[in-house]
């Protein structure tokens, strides 16, 4: 899915150390519902999606959401799994990204 150069962590601090509740894909958008560490629900919305790599992401315990170098015009977002024994994966290439509290 492109170069893997780390750019930085994105999203609310409470969003990190949370868990993925649901992933919804429609046309060129993806919405990821996350229960933050505090219990608040967040939605990470990706628009202009070009590619998604996904394997059983629901229930994944997050270490963080990282932005990596992508192939323009896309930005690459990687949901880092905090459980090294869990093979769940979610990576999204998208043009635009936002996180908001649900």
């Amino acid at each position: 899915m492109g170069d893997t150069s780390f750019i930085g962590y994105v999203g609310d601090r409470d969003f990190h150390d949370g868990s993925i509740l649901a992933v919804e894909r429609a046309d060129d958008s993806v919405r990821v519902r996350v229960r933050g560490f505090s219990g608040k629900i967040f939605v990470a919305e990706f628009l202009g999606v070009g590619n998604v790599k996904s394997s059983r992401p629901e229930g994944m315990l997050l270490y963080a959401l990282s932005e990596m170098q992508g192939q323009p015009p896309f930005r690459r977002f990687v949901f880092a799994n905090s459980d090294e024994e869990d093979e769940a994966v979610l990576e999204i290439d998208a043009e635009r990204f936002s996180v908001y509290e649900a």
Side-chain angles (χ1 to χ4, degrees):
M1 285 181 54
D3 189 344
T4 58
S5 299
F6 178 76
I7 293 175
Y9 297 115
V10 295
D12 189 285
R13 185 175 65 184
D14 185 36
F15 182 92
H16 302 282
D17 297 324
S19 61
I20 295 178
L21 300 175
V23 178
E24 302 166 353
R25 187 169 186 180
D27 300 322
D28 71 341
S29 68
V30 174
R31 287 192 180 105
V32 181
R33 293 180 55 83
V34 173
R35 181 180 313 279
F37 182 74
S38 71
K40 291 180 186 175
I41 305 297
F42 296 91
V43 175
E45 185 171 40
F46 302 88
L47 302 172
V49 172
N51 195 24
V52 176
K53 179 179 178 183
S54 177
S55 177
R56 301 182 332 266
E58 288 85 358
M60 179 195 305
L61 298 176
L62 297 177
Y63 171 72
L65 175 55
S66 302
E67 182 173 356
M68 312 297 274
Q69 184 66 41
Q71 296 293 327
F74 298 107
R75 299 165 64 189
R76 183 171 185 223
F77 299 93
V78 176
F79 288 79
N81 193 335
S82 67
D83 183 350
E84 294 178 8
E85 295 181 16
D86 181 9
E87 295 180 4
V89 172
L90 183 57
E91 300 176 5
I92 301 170
D93 288 348
E95 294 176 1
R96 294 175 307 284
F97 160 78
S98 64
V99 174
Y100 55 89
E101 195 173 327

